[in-house]
Amino acid sequence: MTTAWYPAGGGPRVGGVTTTTIPARTDVSARPLSPLGLLTLLLGAALPMIDFFVVNVALPTIEHALHAPPATLEMVVAGYAVAYAVLLVLGGRLGDGLGRRRLFLWGVAGFGLTSLACGLAPGAWWLVAARVAQGAASAAMLPQVLATVHATTSGERRARAVALYGSVGGVSVVLGQVLGGVLVAADLAGTGWRAVFLVNVPVAVAAFACALRSVPDSRAERPARGDLAGTALLAAALTALLLPLTEGRAAGWPLWSVLLLCAVPLLGLAFAAVERHAERSAGSPLLPPSLLAAPEVRRGLLLGLPVFTGFAGWMFVSAVTFQQGLGYGAMRAGLTMVPMGVAQFAASMLAPRAVRRFGGRAVTLAAALHVAGLATVTATVLLGPWPRLSPLLLSPGLVLVGVGGGLELPLYYRNLLAAIPARLAGAGSGLAATLQQSCLAVGVATLGSLFLSLTPGLGMRQALAVVLAVQAAGLVGLGVLGLRLPRVPG
């Protein structure tokens, strides 16, 4: 297996490495994916990401309406994120065995029902429980998107579909910020914060109806048996990592958070041992070690680390800076990010063309543009008329950030999916999404904590500059990694 770059002609072309061709389709004959089917899948991919960020804007209103303490508000966000990340690989594996269309439909229906439960929540802990269930529904839905694309498309059609999928993540984040501000400010029929959840219900109904008609079914050729031990250990390891990172700082890093973090390496080693044993004994490991043994898969995963960690940190510190440092309201802060979202979507559409022209160097180009955008934002903040910076002054840097991010996301998925055999499409898609969600949580916890700890001593402008410099350093590493990708354009 190797990273393959799919040209307009349809077949994979690679250079400088030994390859084995990956089948374009899986197993149980899946009909080709139609444009409506792709649109429906992309809507399913957008819903969980929009919901992850739309809640942030509504938290102050939720706090007032439900008399929720800060720790409970943290759980509204963390409960969703942890359940989502923990169950993604399992969701992908279930789709491989039971059928990806079926799991997608279950996930969409569950997302709509749990959104309704969130919107009708009578109290804070009811909302927390509904958010955990919503994260589980998202984990059933999301892995089926990439897996279905992988199983029902090839060549240029796959390249365009993956580029669109990559754009969905970034655009959904910006849309979530804007939509949250608009819905809370509009207070439709007196619903207030509840509207950010209730708006999902008709969208989920429409997605379910479209999926019934347009999403083709596919599944693994030989459905795998369940891996209860692997599932439990992976869930324990991710929970031990993500829960302290999302809750620890707000709680003052109590002993339980430190103990859980110390347990992460042990749980990870236990998970690896169980998975190796399952694969050697002809079992059905949740995450086959042979999948991670491929250098191309590991390299694809490495591409995602600075992208998602930095992106989550950037969205957090920019939201705080706009609202607390510059005095923007929730709606104005969301609208400030629109140029970045538009640029990100446009750049993602150019990703296949960039690959055809530059090959693996397209990753380096994306990282360079992203660093230039961060540098421009930093210069604007440090040299501009603080705290009277207008959204217009910030827009040049935000556009460059959007272009860089818009290229990076589809390139990450393109590299990683090309290295994954079609028979493991569900597990591979779950792995890709798990890395994304875990890095989002880690990015907020690490870069967000750094920003908040530096602000009292340095001031918000200087603290923002330090955090953006750290993010830029990670992107430099991404650019160097891009130089090691195949040179032949694909």
Side-chain angles (χ1 to χ4, degrees):
M1 278 187 297
T2 69
T3 301
W5 301 95
Y6 291 92
R13 285 166 39 193
V14 291
V17 286
T18 305
T19 74
T20 54
T21 302
I22 297 169
R25 301 230 166 91
T26 53
D27 47 81
V28 180
S29 56
R31 70 179 188 270
L33 184 64
S34 68
L36 179 59
L38 176 60
L39 179 63
T40 303
L41 290 173
L42 294 176
L43 180 59
L47 282 173
M49 188 63 69
I50 291 174
D51 210 68
F52 186 88
F53 285 93
V54 75
V55 176
N56 291 337
V57 180
L59 285 177
T61 311
I62 294 173
E63 178 181 19
H64 176 74
L66 298 182
H67 308 289
T72 306
L73 289 176
E74 290 278 349
M75 286 302 299
V76 170
V77 178
Y80 178 87
V82 172
Y84 191 8
V86 161
L87 296 173
L88 273 167
V89 175
L90 178 61
R93 173 53 58 87
L94 289 175
D96 285 346
L98 298 177
R100 292 157 191 149
R101 179 176 178 269
R102 176 184 296 179
L103 259 292
F104 182 79
L105 289 170
W106 288 358
V108 171
F111 189 85
L113 290 173
T114 53
S115 294
L116 181 62
C118 289
L120 300 178
W125 283 105
W126 176 288
L127 179 59
V128 170
R131 286 283 286 168
V132 170
Q134 193 179 39
S138 298
M141 175 171 53
L142 186 68
Q144 317 318 322
V145 177
L146 273 178
T148 301
V149 168
H150 193 54
T152 60
T153 62
S154 61
E156 186 63 25
R157 292 186 68 244
R158 179 186 291 176
R160 285 195 296 267
V162 172
L164 282 168
Y165 180 90
S167 72
V168 162
V171 173
S172 297
V173 172
V174 178
L175 182 60
Q177 299 281 103
V178 175
L179 185 63
V182 169
L183 289 174
V184 172
D187 191 22
L188 300 173
T191 54
W193 62 269
R194 298 179 187 276
V196 304
F197 297 110
L198 296 176
V199 72
N200 294 330
V201 178
V203 178
V205 170
F208 189 90
C210 290
L212 280 174
R213 298 185 56 186
S214 62
V215 174
D217 195 18
S218 66
R219 65 189 70 199
E221 187 174 357
R222 291 181 294 276
R225 299 188 302 273
D227 179 13
L228 295 179
T231 301
L233 284 170
L234 179 62
L238 287 174
T239 301
L241 173 67
L242 297 179
L243 192 59
L245 288 179
T246 53
E247 289 291 301
R249 185 191 61 82
W253 296 108
L255 180 60
W256 64 263
S257 64
V258 177
L259 292 177
L260 281 179
L261 288 174
C262 291
V264 171
L266 300 177
L267 291 169
L269 290 173
F271 173 72
V274 166
E275 299 301 277
R276 282 196 300 268
H277 175 74
E279 192 167 47
R280 288 171 182 168
S281 59
S284 302
L286 181 70
L287 195 59
S290 58
L291 184 64
L292 293 175
E296 296 77 22
V297 173
R298 295 199 301 269
R299 187 164 54 196
L301 292 172
L302 279 175
L303 291 175
L305 290 177
V307 172
F308 296 118
T309 303
F311 185 75
W314 155 254
M315 291 303 297
F316 177 82
V317 300
S318 63
V320 174
T321 300
F322 293 165
Q323 295 188 60
Q324 296 185 10
L326 299 178
Y328 294 177
M331 186 181 297
R332 191 183 188 195
L335 292 175
T336 300
M337 303 299 284
V338 168
M340 188 185 87
V342 172
Q344 190 156 348
F345 181 80
S348 69
M349 295 296 96
L350 298 176
R353 187 178 301 177
V355 169
R356 287 194 295 271
R357 180 166 184 179
F358 301 108
R361 300 301 191 272
V363 173
T364 303
L365 172 64
L369 290 170
H370 202 154
V371 170
L374 295 177
T376 303
V377 171
T378 302
T380 303
V381 169
L382 292 178
L383 303 177
W386 182 275
R388 297 182 302 279
L389 286 176
S390 68
L392 184 62
L393 286 176
L394 292 165
S395 60
L398 294 177
V399 167
L400 282 173
V401 169
V403 171
L407 291 173
E408 287 161 0
L409 291 173
L411 291 176
Y412 161 72
Y413 288 112
R414 188 183 182 114
N415 271 277
L416 186 55
L417 284 183
I420 294 172
R423 64 184 176 84
L424 295 175
S429 299
L431 174 63
T434 299
L435 178 80
Q436 175 180 340
Q437 284 303 122
S438 300
C439 286
L440 287 175
V442 170
V444 172
T446 54
L447 295 179
S449 294
L450 176 63
F451 175 75
L452 294 175
S453 64
L454 291 177
T455 297
L458 297 180
M460 192 165 289
R461 281 196 298 177
Q462 287 73 16
L464 177 65
V466 172
V467 170
L468 296 189
V470 173
Q471 184 185 350
L475 291 170
V476 170
L478 176 67
V480 172
L481 184 61
L483 296 174
R484 304 186 57 167
L485 294 174
R487 294 188 179 186
V488 177

